[in-house]
Amino acid sequence: MRIIFLFVVILLLNSCNTKSPSYSTDFDTIFDSVFKADEPGGSVLIAKDGKIIYEKGFGVEDINTKKPIDANTLFNVGSISKTFVAFGILQLAKENKLSIDDDINKYFPDFKDSLLAKKIKIHHLLTHSSGLPDIRNVQGDSIFFLTAKDEENWAPIKKADSLEFEPGERFHYSNPSFNALALIIEKVSGMKWQDYIQKNIMAPAGMKTSTITDGPHPESGVSHGYLFDGKKYFEQDYGEEPTFAASGNGGVWSSVEELWKYEQAIQKNVFLDSEWIKRSRTIYNFSNWKDSVPAFIGLCWFITKTNNENMIGHTGSQGGFRADYVWLPEKKIFYVILCNTPKPLAALKNKVLEVALKEE
């Protein structure tokens, strides 16, 4: 009788095992196809229902030291940095120290055309809908822009004497807009904006190793970005990439572990209340929108669909670094990948989410 009982228990256990998620195997197959152990690679974290279901590093953070990448490796996260700047602005708005409806002439009275500046509101900068042209001469003065910070990248924009379109009419991605927003944080808070973000967003979120550059590449403790010329890898980060030193648009360095802490802090309203978090992740209501596609951006966050699911996220690309940050609110799936060399992130995201959505 005891033997029969044990046999039944074994059958039940085996039955349970056959139904358990095969996340690791499936995800390994996806990422092993694009990363090699001895080359620049990336770090991945996937969470579901508040729990990490997959976390792994691939490749090396430095081709000279061959130090392997893991979940705590710091990468430049590129334009994901903009979400930190945006939350800094929204914190100050919540505290009534500024309004997102303020015109930018209030903060930059040295605009060549003050009437033009008065048309543009802070919310236009946050939503890439200002109409300001990017008139930086990056190609013609690449040496200057190798070390130019936020102020130097924003200064040429203040000389604009016309707009590409009226503010709020359509979307045109703008890096200088976030250099401006970082400078507004400084003007309003009286602090270096990097210090403001670390104190008011990163520290409350528990992001103890994440940092924000103020010019140069951090001297140690971070990965290097690389491009491949068909024969060999070469560094492409600070000192090799014009505008890399400008931080408001892409100066945050973080790990997949700490970006998961960031997302949890967002969901738990740790550094900003639920009303403002919701506004940041709700498509902004433009009264004069004339673009050929419907609006798809909140107060910095992109709100779209993937695999027929609502998706909130942001990508990053700077020098040799690439990043993808994804939150599926209805399914409670979080996915972040940070790379120190270009990889097919859109294709990887589709494959990862297909597996994550299937295993329920």
Side-chain angles (χ1 to χ4, degrees):
M1 187 72 178
R2 185 177 179 183
I3 293 174
I4 294 173
F5 174 75
L6 288 173
F7 180 70
V8 171
V9 169
I10 291 170
L11 283 177
L12 289 171
L13 287 173
N14 285 337
S15 174
C16 290
N17 287 337
T18 60
K19 293 181 181 179
S20 64
S22 57
Y23 290 120
S24 293
T25 301
D26 291 340
F27 291 141
D28 280 343
T29 299
I30 292 170
F31 295 113
D32 285 342
S33 68
V34 296
F35 292 116
K36 295 183 179 179
D38 59 346
E39 295 180 355
S43 185
V44 179
L45 184 148
I46 305 167
K48 190 170 185 178
D49 296 322
K51 297 179 180 179
I52 296 172
I53 60 172
Y54 186 83
E55 185 176 33
K56 198 166 185 179
F58 302 87
V60 297
E61 65 177 50
D62 187 313
I63 59 175
N64 296 311
T65 66
K66 298 294 184 182
K67 183 178 179 180
I69 289 169
D70 60 30
N72 296 302
T73 299
L74 295 179
F75 296 78
N76 179 267
V77 304
S79 290
I80 294 171
S81 306
K82 293 179 172 71
T83 68
F84 289 85
V85 173
F87 278 137
I89 290 288
L90 299 186
Q91 280 186 337
L92 295 170
K94 177 185 179 297
E95 295 166 5
N96 295 316
K97 293 179 179 178
L98 60 76
S99 168
I100 63 171
D101 294 322
D102 286 342
D103 67 65
I104 64 173
N105 188 70
K106 178 177 179 178
Y107 303 97
F108 304 105
D110 55 342
F111 244 81
K112 177 182 176 181
D113 186 338
S114 61
L115 293 178
L116 180 149
K118 288 177 181 178
K119 289 183 176 183
I120 300 165
K121 315 300 183 183
I122 287 178
H123 65 76
H124 292 130
L125 300 182
L126 287 166
T127 56
H128 301 278
S129 64
S130 70
L132 281 168
D134 187 347
I135 52 178
R136 297 175 296 171
N137 186 19
V138 176
Q139 298 304 316
D141 200 1
S142 61
I143 300 301
F144 171 79
F145 282 101
L146 284 174
T147 56
K149 299 183 184 180
D150 291 312
E151 183 69 59
E152 291 84 0
N153 275 267
W154 176 239
I157 312 304
K158 292 186 289 186
K159 298 177 183 178
D161 54 15
S162 64
L163 296 173
E164 295 182 331
F165 50 86
E166 286 300 300
E169 284 188 345
R170 59 189 180 89
F171 173 89
H172 186 188
Y173 197 84
S174 172
N175 284 307
S177 289
F178 281 79
N179 303 136
L181 289 166
L183 295 171
I184 290 173
I185 291 174
E186 293 190 352
K187 292 173 184 289
V188 175
S189 70
M191 300 171 62
K192 286 289 293 181
W193 77 267
Q194 291 94 334
D195 296 338
Y196 179 90
I197 298 300
Q198 289 216 288
K199 177 183 177 181
N200 294 286
I201 295 178
M202 289 182 170
M207 302 173 73
K208 296 180 179 179
T209 65
S210 297
T211 187
I212 312 171
T213 47
D214 184 11
H217 187 291
E219 292 183 4
S220 61
V222 301
S223 58
H224 284 276
Y226 296 94
L227 297 180
F228 187 67
D229 65 5
K231 295 181 180 179
K232 66 180 187 304
Y233 283 98
F234 60 94
E235 279 189 25
Q236 193 74 4
D237 43 46
Y238 179 79
E240 294 88 26
E241 178 79 3
T243 75
F244 200 101
S247 298
N249 62 292
V252 171
W253 296 73
S254 192
S255 65
V256 294
E257 274 274 352
E258 295 204 344
L259 288 178
W260 171 227
K261 291 181 179 180
Y262 178 48
E263 179 58 34
Q264 289 177 293
I266 293 169
Q267 293 177 26
K268 295 174 183 177
N269 310 311
V270 169
F271 53 75
L272 195 59
D273 66 31
S274 59
E275 178 186 347
W276 278 101
I277 292 292
K278 183 178 180 180
R279 288 182 68 179
S280 76
R281 290 182 156 188
T282 301
I283 294 174
Y284 193 82
N285 183 24
F286 297 93
S287 61
N288 61 329
W289 190 258
K290 294 181 180 178
D291 209 339
S292 58
V293 296
F296 54 88
I297 188 168
L299 296 173
C300 186
W301 292 98
F302 292 98
I303 300 128
T304 55
K305 282 187 175 289
T306 185
N307 297 71
N308 294 316
E309 297 291 339
N310 291 322
M311 179 177 72
I312 298 166
H314 212 294
T315 57
S317 175
Q318 183 161 238
F321 295 98
R322 300 292 185 272
D324 200 0
Y325 183 114
V326 177
W327 170 242
L328 303 188
E330 281 82 15
K331 297 297 184 180
K332 294 183 171 55
I333 292 173
F334 176 72
Y335 163 58
V336 62
I337 180 170
L338 302 175
C339 300
N340 62 339
T341 194
K343 294 297 179 183
L345 297 192
L348 285 172
K349 174 168 58 187
N350 290 338
K351 292 177 181 178
V352 166
L353 295 181
E354 184 179 353
V355 171
L357 289 165
K358 181 175 61 178
E359 302 284 358
E360 297 199 81

